[in-house]
Amino acid sequence: MENNHDHIDPEILAMREQLSLLQRKLDERICFEDSMLRRAMKRSATQLLEWEWVGLSVCLLAFVMAVPEVHRLNLSHGMQIFTTVWIGIMVAVQAWSVWFVSRKRRDIIGGNLLRASQRVIIYKRVDRWCKRIFIPTVIVWIIVYLNEVVDHSTLATSSAAYRAGVYVGGIAGALIGGGIGWIIYRKMMGHVNELQQQINELKREQ
């Protein structure tokens, strides 16, 4: 039987070979970019999880320091109960966040982009609600705490300098702590936004 290629223009055969070669190169390039993007996603998820552990450590440190302090200063029972419950809630929320991000990291490693994308959306939604609730509550707690420290101190009744020192020191400490917390928060959200962008880019390529 006569070979059909004998009737095809050699230039057309050469073009077909070039197109086939280009397709293979394109497939290799896409596979390489996919692999590199997944590595970047894993790295972002790992870094986010590390910062979540830092946040949990800070919350645990606040619990260990603040709860005994309000009892030592013999503040009101309402303040003692609220401080214990409130910081306990913060620790629980941060522990949930560590667990949630670790699950998200496993989804990324396992290649489940849909579930990882859904977890990023849930994470950012919870983050918005936490900011709306936690920030005002912390500000109110600081104000009430400083007022009660002054009211329950015998030095405060006789020394205006002591009262001023309590407020100045408390506000300065709150600003420093808030600044550190903001840096940690921005680091975490930077990794979250980067991760979301990487997931969306990989989903578009598929």
Side-chain angles (χ1 to χ4, degrees), residues 151-202:
D151 291 340
H152 287 75
S153 174
T154 55
L155 290 175
T157 57
S158 59
S159 175
Y162 175 81
R163 292 196 298 270
V166 170
Y167 285 116
V168 171
I171 293 173
L175 290 175
I176 294 172
I180 295 173
W182 181 252
I183 291 172
I184 295 174
Y185 170 77
R186 294 304 300 172
K187 288 284 187 182
M188 291 192 299
M189 293 311 299
H191 291 306
V192 171
N193 294 331
E194 183 180 359
L195 187 58
Q196 186 176 35
Q197 183 179 359
Q198 291 164 344
I199 291 174
N200 293 336
E201 184 176 345
L202 192 56

Side-chain angles (χ1 to χ4, degrees), residues 6 33 52 102 183:
D6 294 340
E33 290 180 352
E52 289 289 354
S102 65
I183 291 172

